[in-house]
Amino acid sequence: MGHVARDLAIARILKLLDGDVRVDWCSAEPAISYLELHGCNVLEKCRAMHSISGIVEELFNKGLRGVGGLKRLGEKLGILRRNWGIVEGIIDRYDLVVADEFWELVYAAPPAIRRRVVFLTDIVYMPYSFSALGTIGSLAINAYFHKALQGFRRLDYLNSLAEVRGRRWFIFLGRRVDRWIAENAFIAGYAPSYVPGKLLPKRDARRMLGIDMDEFVVVTVGGTSAGSRRLLDCIYSALPTIGEEVRRRTGRELLVIVVRGPRTE
């Protein structure tokens, strides 16, 4: 739920700036349940949309390997087109449309619609794989990224340029991705999923979670996608060593709080 969490933070800031602002939401499950938990107004028409998060994670974690990868890409594109058919016509109602990786707009929306949208993303590039089919697929996706992402009213890059530094759109050819972003996007950096200044003091947070003040607490945030599994596995394997070192240096026991998504179980 990383993206919808950062979007909630953006919505909170908008309401702090203008108490009369109205924010409507358009998304698919499981984001809808999370939004409603926070009292957000989800447009009824959007409930018929289908999530593409699982397919996107698989493509970016495993790449376009063989016929199966291309088939999954085809499934994703089909869902994007159907989703756009569901929500088409909604955008004209609003003064400001903020789309956080709403890929339906990139793939299926006409240029006139994209020119009215502020598009947020932390992905602008599909890494190249060593397989022939994977390379062809990445070439196609990056060519489309390069063209379609320029058509928005504004493009906000919610990531670090280090993620794409030195990469080129077309393997060894074309412009460097980081330079293209610097010229065509507002580099916002990582968007926190909280409102600065609204965090609980450490003592109050520990009391709320039932954690003793003397415990040595480590919080690991592995993300919500299956791609974070490798990171969490590394952390888990290091915990015995970390625990011994904490006891040796402080005489305290280690308490680890793991924040992860359902696909990292």
Side-chain angles (χ1 to χ4, degrees):
M1 306 303 294
H3 288 185
V4 74
R6 73 188 183 194
D7 296 337
L8 276 171
I10 293 171
R12 293 189 190 108
I13 291 294
L14 287 174
K15 290 181 179 180
L16 285 175
L17 295 173
D18 183 352
D20 295 326
V21 71
R22 170 185 166 182
V23 179
D24 291 337
W25 295 82
C26 182
S27 190
E29 288 289 4
I32 288 177
S33 297
Y34 184 82
L35 289 168
E36 290 182 332
L37 184 66
H38 287 78
C40 299
N41 179 49
V42 179
L43 297 175
E44 193 64 32
K45 194 173 183 180
C46 297
R47 297 179 187 275
M49 292 173 57
H50 295 278
S51 174
I52 62 167
S53 60
I55 297 176
V56 171
E57 288 169 11
E58 182 177 335
L59 288 174
F60 275 86
N61 292 332
K62 298 181 180 180
L64 295 167
R65 297 177 182 173
V67 177
L70 293 177
K71 181 180 178 182
R72 294 295 279 166
L73 177 60
E75 291 174 6
K76 173 192 172 183
L77 297 180
I79 293 173
L80 291 179
R81 187 168 293 281
R82 289 193 295 273
N83 282 350
W84 174 248
I86 292 171
V87 302
E88 189 175 6
I90 289 178
I91 289 177
D92 290 335
R93 307 178 191 174
Y94 295 94
D95 298 309
L96 174 65
V97 177
V98 179
D100 191 345
E101 293 188 3
F102 196 71
W103 297 111
E104 287 81 353
L105 293 173
V106 175
Y107 177 66
I113 294 293
R114 293 203 296 268
R115 285 195 292 268
R116 302 188 63 243
V117 173
V118 177
F119 194 82
L120 315 180
T121 183
D122 52 44
I123 298 173
V124 295
Y125 173 83
M126 180 73 172
Y128 288 96
S129 68
F130 294 104
S131 70
L133 282 175
T135 298
I136 293 171
S138 295
L139 275 170
I141 291 174
N142 286 332
Y144 197 80
F145 272 152
H146 184 254
K147 178 181 178 182
L149 289 177
Q150 297 184 67
F152 288 102
R153 172 181 174 181
R154 169 169 155 165
L155 174 65
D156 282 19
Y157 183 59
L158 305 184
N159 208 330
S160 167
L161 284 180
E163 290 288 323
V164 291
R165 196 173 304 282
R167 303 289 183 93
R168 294 188 182 273
W169 285 109
F170 310 116
I171 311 180
F172 303 113
L173 303 175
R175 298 199 59 196
R176 281 178 40 169
V177 180
D178 53 347
R179 292 176 181 171
W180 182 89
I181 293 173
E183 292 181 7
N184 293 278
F186 176 78
I187 304 172
Y190 299 107
S193 57
Y194 58 86
V195 178
K198 295 293 184 179
L199 298 180
L200 285 174
K202 182 189 292 185
R203 182 177 297 275
D204 293 342
R206 284 183 176 240
R207 186 181 299 113
M208 179 182 294
L209 295 172
I211 299 173
D212 192 275
M213 288 300 297
D214 292 330
E215 288 188 282
F216 192 97
V217 180
V218 173
V219 178
T220 70
V221 182
T224 60
S225 70
S228 65
R229 184 189 299 274
R230 291 188 295 273
L231 172 62
L232 290 174
D233 286 344
C234 291
I235 294 173
Y236 293 154
S237 64
L239 287 180
T241 302
I242 296 173
E244 291 178 5
E245 191 67 15
V246 168
R247 282 191 292 272
R248 185 181 69 82
R249 294 191 180 192
T250 69
R252 299 156 67 187
E253 290 299 317
L254 174 67
L255 173 65
V256 179
I257 299 175
V258 180
V259 181
R260 56 158 180 76
R263 284 183 287 273
T264 60
E265 293 178 350

